[in-house]
Amino acid sequence: MAESPPTVEPHVEQPGPAEFRDPLLREELRRASVWIGLALVVAGVIFLAQPLLLILGGLVFGVVLDGGARALGRFLPIGRGWRLSLAILIGIGFVAWVFYYAGTTFAAQAGALRMVVETQALKLYAWAQNAGLITDPTPGTIGQQLMGSVGRLTTAVGSALGALTSALLIFVIGIFIAIEPRLYDRGVAWMLPLRHRDHFYRITNRVGFTLRRLLFGRIVGMIFEGLFTWFMLAWVSRLIGIGPIPMAALLGLITGILAFIPNIGAIVSGLLMVAVGFSAGPNEGFFAIFVYFAVQNIDGYLVLPYIARRTVDLAPAIVLAAQLILGALFGFLGLLLADSILASLKVTLQELSKERSAEKGEGPELVGGNPAA
């Protein structure tokens, strides 16, 4: 009798290390991937800080051009493309005039201003040493360290070629964004789920509106502070019998340029103004102090609040903290864009908070705020 083949018990396959069927393991892997992705984003921001800041600078410049085109639309009944071209030409013409005028008129004054600042810093150090406030036996070292960077800022007016490449990239990016801003909004929104796209458009409209008002106020403040400083130092001082303050036009130009940087720009321009004033005499020095406080108070309490009354409210201490942090991390571009970045973040968080409150039924939906003007 033939033997029957042995029966083979069925083998049950078990999950291997390449399969993740355990719900707990899959949940932990999902959480780990979120943290790993966040770490990669942070590392990317750190290593790509300069390109990202150039892109942000281009966005800010594009907002300025778009705001200029919108402002011209209130007076010129022409197409947006023509208004944008006119705004670009006005901006280029102004920058070219500044460089030409600074190069022909202020080149020698810039070097003299640096010498004046360093000399006044050494005098201040000597006075503090004689008064017993400083016991360092190496006179002038601290004064040079404190005022060296301030003195170097004065040479940037006539020699800004070091940042020409970055400025050119920001200029080109800003023009492309200003030509068709909705194209880039739609490109970013395409990567979001459909249910979130309307919210994204409302937030970008609000951020764009806020930045336009904020930067418009900055530009008007720059023009006011520059012209008012020049007028007070060159003409009012002469009318009251003090005589014109040396390098009044250069100080006005520097004050106007540094007015784009809140807080820190005002401090630097004030130090320069006072140093030059006391180099000409005590009366000129005290008048320079008066001019500085007059300019800052009129601009801070009359000009900017009237222009930017509908923008986001930024506490000066928070703006200064953001400037110090971004300046330490990313250099001059971080310092320059600190208030714009902070304003954008605050508006975004405010709009997200309003949306969540509206979804939970805690109040009427106020998303969007003021319409994009």
Side-chain angles (χ1 to χ4, degrees):
M1 182 176 177
E3 295 182 0
S4 59
T7 59
V8 180
E9 296 181 359
H11 177 69
V12 179
E13 295 288 340
Q14 299 295 327
E19 299 188 45
F20 306 101
R21 295 185 178 182
D22 188 354
L24 179 60
L25 180 60
R26 295 176 65 179
E27 179 65 20
E28 292 299 325
L29 286 175
R30 187 185 67 82
R31 294 180 179 178
S33 64
V34 171
W35 286 107
I36 292 174
L38 182 61
L40 291 176
V41 169
V42 172
V45 170
I46 294 175
F47 287 105
L48 300 176
Q50 284 301 115
L52 290 176
L53 284 176
L54 290 178
I55 295 173
L56 287 176
L59 287 171
V60 171
F61 184 65
V63 169
V64 173
L65 293 179
D66 182 61
R70 292 169 182 262
L72 291 175
R74 300 181 179 181
F75 310 101
L76 300 177
I78 56 179
R80 186 180 184 279
W82 291 104
R83 288 185 276 114
L84 181 61
S85 301
L86 184 58
I88 294 173
L89 290 177
I90 293 174
I92 293 176
F94 175 76
V95 172
W97 174 82
V98 168
F99 275 96
Y100 172 78
Y101 196 63
T104 57
T105 306
F106 301 150
Q109 291 186 6
L113 178 58
R114 179 175 179 177
M115 295 297 297
V116 167
V117 171
E118 292 179 354
T119 302
Q120 294 301 109
L122 292 175
K123 290 182 179 180
L124 179 62
Y125 178 85
W127 173 83
Q129 192 177 32
N130 293 331
L133 301 177
I134 298 177
T135 59
D136 191 346
T138 56
T141 303
I142 296 179
Q144 290 177 349
Q145 291 177 350
L146 290 177
M147 302 303 294
S149 58
V150 176
R152 284 192 294 271
L153 280 175
T154 62
T155 61
V157 177
S159 59
L161 297 179
L164 181 60
T165 303
S166 299
L168 181 61
L169 289 174
I170 291 175
F171 182 77
V172 173
I173 293 173
I175 290 178
F176 281 130
I177 292 175
I179 290 175
E180 190 59 46
R182 290 298 179 186
L183 176 64
Y184 302 96
D185 285 348
R186 291 193 296 267
V188 176
W190 177 78
M191 296 184 288
L192 301 176
L194 288 173
R195 63 181 182 277
H196 295 310
R197 293 185 184 180
D198 289 339
H199 294 167
F200 171 78
Y201 288 132
R202 285 195 289 267
I203 291 175
T204 54
N205 286 338
R206 177 60 181 168
V207 171
F209 172 80
T210 301
L211 286 180
R212 284 194 298 271
R213 300 284 299 187
L214 180 67
L215 295 173
F216 178 71
R218 290 278 183 269
I219 294 174
V220 173
M222 292 170 63
I223 296 173
F224 168 78
E225 290 191 22
L227 292 178
F228 189 78
T229 300
W230 167 77
F231 177 75
M232 293 291 290
L233 296 179
W235 296 100
V236 175
S237 61
R238 183 179 301 175
L239 291 176
I240 63 177
I242 295 178
I245 305 297
M247 296 171 281
L250 179 60
L251 290 173
L253 179 62
I254 293 177
T255 302
I257 293 175
L258 293 179
F260 190 82
I261 308 175
N263 302 324
I264 296 178
I267 295 173
V268 174
S269 63
L271 290 174
L272 293 174
M273 194 184 307
V274 173
V276 173
F278 277 104
S279 69
N283 293 333
E284 288 81 356
F286 287 114
F287 182 74
I289 296 175
F290 167 76
V291 171
Y292 169 73
F293 282 105
V295 169
Q296 297 304 320
N297 281 277
I298 294 176
D299 184 60
Y301 291 102
L302 294 179
V303 179
L304 288 183
Y306 177 77
I307 295 172
R309 63 185 183 274
R310 296 170 63 189
T311 61
V312 63
D313 184 22
L314 297 176
I318 297 178
V319 175
L320 182 59
Q323 289 175 329
L324 294 176
I325 294 174
L326 293 178
L329 292 176
F330 307 120
F332 180 71
L333 274 178
L335 176 65
L336 190 66
L337 301 174
D339 61 328
S340 299
I341 295 174
L342 185 63
S344 301
L345 289 176
K346 184 174 182 180
V347 170
T348 301
L349 293 176
Q350 286 177 339
E351 295 303 314
L352 290 176
S353 176
K354 291 177 182 178
E355 289 179 1
R356 292 188 178 183
S357 298
E359 290 174 358
K360 293 180 181 179
E362 298 178 0
E365 185 175 4
L366 299 176
V367 179
N370 294 317

